Amino acid sequence: MLTGPMCFLTALASVQNWGAHHPLQIILCTMQLYGLVWFTLQPVFSDTGVAGHFSSDPTLFWLIAFGANAPWGIFPTILLFTSVYEVSNKMAAK
């Protein structure tokens, strides 16, 4: 509910070169990675077990739960580190 408008605001801040671009991107990427971790780990620790979520085959479960969701963690991680690097450089320059 909050992520969609925040994605739009962060994209607008990036295009318009606002000063808040990197802080917004840090918050947004952290939200994305936090949600990804909870979405991926929830079937592992739930009461219904692994078989109740994706597949009763453990190999297929790991392929779906982690393999299919792993790419969703690549770009937010890159953007997060980029923004943290930029913010830390700007803070060190002052």
Side-chain angles (χ1 to χ4, degrees), residues 17-82:
N17 203 20
W18 294 348
H21 166 248
H22 289 293
L24 284 171
Q25 189 163 297
I26 289 171
I27 294 167
L28 185 64
C29 290
T30 303
M31 288 170 50
Q32 172 67 31
L33 292 170
Y34 182 77
L36 178 67
V37 167
W38 277 108
F39 176 78
T40 306
L41 291 180
Q42 188 269 336
V44 175
F45 295 108
S46 70
D47 292 338
T48 59
V50 171
H53 288 281
F54 298 114
S55 172
S56 58
D57 180 22
T59 305
L60 188 58
F61 166 75
W62 288 104
L63 182 67
I64 293 171
F66 291 95
N69 289 309
W72 291 101
I74 295 171
F75 289 110
T77 304
I78 293 169
L79 292 172
L80 178 65
F81 282 118
T82 302

